[in-house]
Amino acid sequence: MPLEKKKIFFLVGPTGIGKSLAAIILAKKIKAEIISCDSMQVYRKMDIITSKIRPKERTKVKHHLLDIIAPKEEYNVAKYRRDALAVCEKLYLKGSLPLFVGGTGLYYSIIIDGLFPMVPEDKTIRAKLNRQLASKGPKYLYKRLGRIDQAAAKKIHPNDSRRIIRALEVYLKTGDKISVLQKNRTGLGKEYLVKVFGLHLHRRLLYERINARVDKMFRLGLVSEVRGLLKTKLSKTAESAIGIKELKGYFEGKYTLEQAKRLIQRNSRRYAKRQLTWFRKDRRIKWISINKTDLPSKVALKIWKKLS
RNA sequence: GCCGAGAUAGCUCAGUGGUAGAGCGCGGCCCUGAAAAGGCCGGCGUGGGGGGUCCGAUUCCCUCUCUCGGCA
């Protein structure tokens, strides 16, 4: 009897489409535990703003990587990968199935496809490069990158200062070209049997849903949650959650509450659009079309049917 | 019913006698240690309908329809 390949499931899709609740029902059916694949739900105290499911729901199925760090701490892909793989390992030891659920495309890809060998961020180098960016502009850094790593420069747009800085950082630290290092990555896709499901809803309906969800966030107390968060210094990752800068603008009198809400809705819609661009090109995803009125149980059933 | 203002991109509007722009919205795309971030690209729209003047009208004139404001 051939050794059966270990299985691993993913449920992805744009924000607000209803992944979380459907995932709980699905996880129960297939005896899986859920691993969040979301760059913001890792933060504690950011419950309403990230539309985290309530603790009560979480007891039905074990959830991992929610509420694992404080908002003042930085988090990133590498930490996520480390944490997620540790959970995976643990689940296998006890014979449970991992079901990744979330919409952070990069985190998803880093798990499936891997991350190139460790060149962690270097705060000193980065700060220096950022100073140069401020004084000399992105074109200067871009030219510098072109001299040391042409392949990387070709791939990165001259205005994309973050990626230019990252590429320079890698070179300054290791003497290696990021374009070369990046080729070396191994993800779970090799070792495991990976199945990816994506939820799809008509764009118009998705946007309606996102708008409605933002309305609901306000009713649930988004404003006071964010006010509380802003009392202490947030990490740069946590503060980039949609809703922080918009409400900050409101607190500072830059715009009205209504304007802040519109901005949050718009930025969420744009975020969903970017997610769709990301996932659309991934041929591994099996798309599940859902309807406006589908309840989580219906959605879960649709996925379940595609499993067998 | 009368008087006035207006009808131009999905929305709000600008402008011009030689067939049009802005902001917002929206669409497409890139993405390997900040990713809910960051970056790139995208506007031919019967210029409300009809008629007239003119070499030529979205721009001037007439008329109709509609919208808004005021007066009855």
Side-chain angles (χ1 to χ4, degrees), chain A residues 49-101:
Chain A
I49 195 171
T50 65
S51 294
K52 226 178 271 164
I53 50 162
R54 295 156 191 231
K56 204 174 84 187
E57 302 285 343
R58 278 180 239 168
T59 61
K60 294 176 188 164
V61 170
K62 177 85 175 150
H63 280 69
H64 302 272
L65 303 190
L66 293 176
D67 296 329
I68 55 170
I69 53 172
K72 65 172 185 209
E73 294 175 66
E74 304 287 350
Y75 201 70
N76 61 41
V77 234
K79 290 180 181 174
Y80 177 74
R81 179 172 151 86
R82 175 201 64 199
D83 296 340
L85 295 187
V87 174
C88 266
E89 196 65 24
K90 208 172 76 188
L91 294 193
Y92 279 119
L93 288 178
K94 64 181 214 186
S96 309
L97 212 67
L99 171 61
F100 283 83
V101 180

Side-chain angles (χ1 to χ4, degrees), chain A residues 243-271:
Chain A
I244 299 285
K245 64 175 185 300
E246 294 86 348
L247 283 173
K248 208 169 171 182
Y250 163 65
F251 297 140
E252 288 166 355
K254 247 164 75 188
Y255 22 72
T256 65
L257 194 60
E258 188 56 33
Q259 287 174 313
K261 187 200 269 183
R262 303 254 156 185
L263 284 172
I264 292 172
Q265 288 173 323
R266 183 199 66 184
N267 292 337
S268 300
R269 291 194 299 268
R270 289 181 175 174
Y271 168 49

Side-chain angles (χ1 to χ4, degrees), chain A residues 120-132:
Chain A
E121 75 171 306
D122 184 312
K123 298 229 177 197
T124 317
I125 293 176
R126 241 181 232 201
K128 198 173 155 193
L129 290 170
N130 270 307
R131 258 179 275 126
Q132 292 184 354

Side-chain angles (χ1 to χ4, degrees), chain A residues 85-186:
Chain A
L85 295 187
V87 174
C88 266
E89 196 65 24
K90 208 172 76 188
L91 294 193
Y92 279 119
L93 288 178
K94 64 181 214 186
S96 309
L97 212 67
L99 171 61
F100 283 83
V101 180
T104 302
L106 181 64
Y107 285 13
Y108 154 76
S109 131
I110 252 57
I111 295 299
I112 289 203
D113 302 316
L115 184 67
F116 77 85
M118 306 166 218
V119 183
E121 75 171 306
D122 184 312
K123 298 229 177 197
T124 317
I125 293 176
R126 241 181 232 201
K128 198 173 155 193
L129 290 170
N130 270 307
R131 258 179 275 126
Q132 292 184 354
L133 173 69
S135 60
K136 299 182 177 171
K139 296 279 188 293
Y140 168 80
L141 293 179
Y142 185 71
K143 277 185 189 156
R144 195 170 160 199
L145 177 63
R147 281 194 298 271
I148 63 174
D149 186 347
Q150 257 190 28
K154 205 176 160 194
K155 200 174 146 188
I156 301 171
H157 190 277
N159 287 346
D160 199 346
S161 48
R162 281 200 190 173
R163 289 198 174 75
I164 297 170
I165 286 178
R166 170 63 180 157
L168 287 171
E169 171 189 58
V170 168
Y171 181 76
L172 292 174
K173 216 176 161 188
T174 65
D176 293 324
K177 299 176 181 179
I178 193 172
S179 60
V180 174
L181 294 178
Q182 279 182 337
K183 289 175 185 156
N184 186 7
R185 62 193 314 204
T186 315

Side-chain angles (χ1 to χ4, degrees), chain A residues 194-293:
Chain A
V194 179
K195 283 203 175 177
V196 190
F197 299 94
L199 295 184
H200 175 267
L201 178 66
H202 191 280
R203 184 76 59 96
R204 242 198 121 94
L205 299 175
L206 176 66
Y207 283 2
E208 280 173 16
R209 222 156 140 154
I210 288 172
N211 292 340
R213 194 172 71 164
V214 172
D215 277 331
K216 193 178 169 196
M217 281 161 57
F218 274 79
R219 270 182 268 124
L220 291 173
L222 178 69
V223 175
S224 63
E225 180 176 282
V226 173
R227 189 179 278 123
L229 286 168
L230 289 173
K231 279 181 186 150
T232 55
K233 175 130 178 65
L234 296 174
S235 66
K236 60 179 188 282
T237 34
E239 80 178 355
S240 68
I242 294 171
I244 299 285
K245 64 175 185 300
E246 294 86 348
L247 283 173
K248 208 169 171 182
Y250 163 65
F251 297 140
E252 288 166 355
K254 247 164 75 188
Y255 22 72
T256 65
L257 194 60
E258 188 56 33
Q259 287 174 313
K261 187 200 269 183
R262 303 254 156 185
L263 284 172
I264 292 172
Q265 288 173 323
R266 183 199 66 184
N267 292 337
S268 300
R269 291 194 299 268
R270 289 181 175 174
Y271 168 49
K273 182 169 139 41
R274 270 180 274 127
Q275 289 177 300
L276 290 170
T277 299
W278 181 286
F279 290 124
R280 199 154 33 198
K281 69 181 175 196
D282 193 317
R283 307 309 303 165
R284 295 169 292 204
I285 301 176
K286 288 185 176 49
W287 291 100
I288 316 269
S289 275
I290 61 171
N291 298 314
K292 192 181 176 179
T293 51

